[in-house]
């Protein structure tokens, strides 16, 4: 498997394994990950040769960007590391619990300027609209990012968490370069229309939750309970769906063992073999997990492996192995 790849039509060449830095500086959602642990993680990623780091304003309301900017400045390797971040200006929850953000051109411009300051850089390689829940039409938001791209403040344009209709709207004028959407062996809904659209329009796909919020790490048990927001509100961890997913994971784990690989490596390698996926950004909390993730590029999955994983991932009762 090629270890380096160009992200779609962006011209940005990176290693195929990046770092999703959702835990860095995000103590509200990940209280067990201290800021010192976050600093150590980013420093280790740079030292290990990971050259794509993905973050967002909402990860600690800017604190993740600050810690990453500090680590990259100290490393002196800004020219070696590609940065992506996401805007969610004026984030709030309504009385009904619905999310609202501000994707107006002025708010996006301000978001970019603030991210540049926190990241201690004068350009951002990929800048995303994080959520679509704004009064601003999505094509107008994309146009605002196109202006910032023309000015050199951002190098490429992305969006995440869009439905198929919203994806079409955002890309109405053909500005989108990169799309982030949930995609893993346990969540393949994007294959229905989102990924085919991206393939047709030369938009690179970066999967979010590539290990299904940890399910594909293969460590959870039926009796486990979850208190973190990321899993408490995730249907994959609720009731019968959770039990079914654990059963699927056990079958995948057995198959990975037969192939002399770990389940996470197999799950990540599967993604790297899917059409439209140029790189993946698995998260980590410790440097040793980074190194394990990076070894994914050494994993070889045959056509027969991919077909068998299709069976294991698409049904709760695949029959005898």
């Amino acid at each position: 498997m090629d270890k380096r790849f160009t992200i779609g039509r962006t011209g940005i060449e990176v290693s195929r394994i990046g770092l999703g830095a959702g835990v860095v500086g995000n103590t509200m959602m990940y209280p067990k990950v201290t800021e010192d642990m976050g600093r150590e993680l980013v420093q280790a990623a740079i030292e290990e040769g990971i050259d794509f780091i993905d973050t967002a304003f909402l990860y600690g309301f800017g604190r993740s960007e600050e810690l990453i900017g500090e680590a990259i400045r100290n490393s002196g390797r800004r020219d070696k590391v590609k940065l992506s971040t996401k805007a969610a200006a004026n984030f709030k929850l309504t009385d009904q619990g619905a999310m609202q953000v501000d994707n107006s051109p002025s708010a996006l411009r301000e978001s970019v300027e603030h991210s540049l300051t926190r990241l201690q850089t004068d350009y951002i390689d990929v800048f995303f609209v994080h959520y679509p829940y704004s009064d601003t039409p999505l094509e107008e938001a994309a146009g605002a990012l196109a202006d910032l791209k023309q000015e050199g403040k951002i190098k490429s344009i992305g969006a995440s968490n869009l439905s198929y209709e919203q994806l079409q709207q955002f890309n109405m004028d053909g500005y989108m370069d990169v799309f982030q959407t949930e995609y893993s062996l346990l969540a393949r809904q994007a294959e229905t229309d989102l990924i085919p659209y991206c393939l047709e329009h030369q938009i690179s796909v970066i999967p979010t939750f590539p290990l299904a919020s940890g399910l594909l790490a293969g460590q959870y048990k039926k009796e486990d309970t979850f208190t973190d927001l990321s899993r408490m509100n995730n249907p994959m961890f609720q009731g019968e769906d959770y039990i079914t997913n654990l059963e699927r994971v056990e079958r995948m784990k057995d198959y990975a063992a037969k192939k002399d690989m770990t389940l996470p490596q197999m799950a990540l390698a599967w993604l790297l073999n899917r059409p439209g996926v140029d790189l993946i950004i698995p998260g980590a909390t410790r440097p040793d997990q980074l190194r394990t993730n990076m070894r994914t590029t050494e994993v070889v999955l045959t056509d027969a492996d991919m077909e068998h994983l299709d069976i294991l991932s698409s049904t709760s009762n695949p029959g005898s192995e």
Side-chain angles (χ1 to χ4, degrees), residues 116-167:
L116 289 170
T117 298
R118 288 189 290 264
L119 290 165
Q120 302 188 43
T121 185
D122 55 5
Y123 67 95
I124 295 165
D125 295 281
V126 190
F127 194 85
F128 292 85
V129 167
H130 202 166
Y131 290 100
Y133 313 120
S134 171
D135 293 333
T136 301
L138 285 166
E139 68 270 24
E140 187 175 334
L145 293 188
D147 291 339
L148 290 160
K149 181 178 178 180
Q150 183 69 29
E151 295 168 23
K153 294 182 183 294
I154 66 176
K155 299 297 184 182
S156 46
I157 295 169
S160 61
N161 299 300
L162 304 182
S163 68
Y164 178 56
E165 291 73 19
Q166 291 165 339
L167 174 60

Side-chain angles (χ1 to χ4, degrees), residues 229-240:
L229 294 175
S230 62
R231 292 174 181 83
M232 286 174 60
N233 299 324
N234 188 333
M236 298 177 75
F237 289 81
Q238 311 301 319
E240 288 302 314

Side-chain angles (χ1 to χ4, degrees), residues 45-290:
I46 296 169
E47 290 168 3
E48 291 289 339
I50 288 177
D51 58 2
F52 187 94
I53 299 177
D54 176 82
T55 185
F57 165 73
L58 280 183
Y59 303 163
F61 291 94
R63 189 56 179 152
S64 181
E65 291 178 324
E66 289 174 346
L67 294 178
I68 290 167
E70 175 187 313
I72 292 176
R73 181 201 64 203
N74 291 340
S75 75
R77 299 183 190 176
R78 173 63 183 100
D79 60 328
K80 304 295 185 184
V81 180
K82 310 303 181 186
L83 291 173
S84 75
T85 191
K86 312 175 198 73
N90 302 318
F91 171 86
K92 65 179 180 179
L93 295 175
T94 68
D95 293 339
Q96 292 74 37
M99 185 186 301
Q100 285 188 347
V101 295
D102 185 355
N103 290 334
S104 65
S106 60
L108 288 174
R109 178 171 290 275
E110 185 175 345
S111 294
V112 167
E113 296 290 354
H114 288 171
S115 289
L116 289 170
T117 298
R118 288 189 290 264
L119 290 165
Q120 302 188 43
T121 185
D122 55 5
Y123 67 95
I124 295 165
D125 295 281
V126 190
F127 194 85
F128 292 85
V129 167
H130 202 166
Y131 290 100
Y133 313 120
S134 171
D135 293 333
T136 301
L138 285 166
E139 68 270 24
E140 187 175 334
L145 293 188
D147 291 339
L148 290 160
K149 181 178 178 180
Q150 183 69 29
E151 295 168 23
K153 294 182 183 294
I154 66 176
K155 299 297 184 182
S156 46
I157 295 169
S160 61
N161 299 300
L162 304 182
S163 68
Y164 178 56
E165 291 73 19
Q166 291 165 339
L167 174 60
Q168 292 175 295
Q169 185 181 358
F170 187 94
N171 196 46
M172 187 175 295
D173 297 306
Y175 292 136
M176 179 181 273
D177 300 305
V178 186
F179 180 51
Q180 282 195 358
T181 187
E182 183 175 6
Y183 190 31
S184 73
L185 269 169
L186 294 179
R188 300 182 60 175
Q189 300 90 330
E191 293 175 353
T192 302
D193 45 26
L194 295 172
I195 291 177
Y197 179 90
C198 289
L199 287 168
E200 180 182 353
H201 293 85
Q202 297 181 292
I203 297 168
S204 181
V205 176
I206 299 180
T208 58
F209 305 107
L211 293 178
S213 296
L215 273 169
L216 287 167
Q219 303 298 318
Y220 294 133
K221 300 177 178 60
K222 292 181 180 180
E223 61 270 21
D224 287 341
T225 58
F226 303 97
T227 56
D228 58 292
L229 294 175
S230 62
R231 292 174 181 83
M232 286 174 60
N233 299 324
N234 188 333
M236 298 177 75
F237 289 81
Q238 311 301 319
E240 288 302 314
D241 284 347
Y242 178 57
I243 302 303
T244 297
N245 283 325
L246 288 182
E247 292 169 350
R248 295 161 77 189
V249 165
E250 283 303 309
R251 284 189 284 270
M252 293 178 191
K253 190 189 298 186
D254 290 343
Y255 189 69
K258 292 177 184 177
K259 304 296 292 186
D260 197 26
M261 64 184 77
T262 68
L263 173 58
Q265 288 171 340
M266 185 177 74
L268 295 178
W270 179 84
L271 280 171
L272 287 178
N273 279 276
R274 299 301 299 169
V277 178
D278 295 329
L279 80 157
I280 53 177
I281 50 170
T285 58
R286 304 188 312 272
D288 63 291
Q289 294 171 330
L290 293 173

Side-chain angles (χ1 to χ4, degrees), residues 1 3 265 269 291 293-301:
M1 183 185 298
K3 294 187 177 182
Q265 288 171 340
R291 291 186 281 273
N293 290 342
M294 291 180 71
R295 287 198 293 272
T296 298
T297 56
E298 301 168 7
V299 173
V300 176
L301 296 179

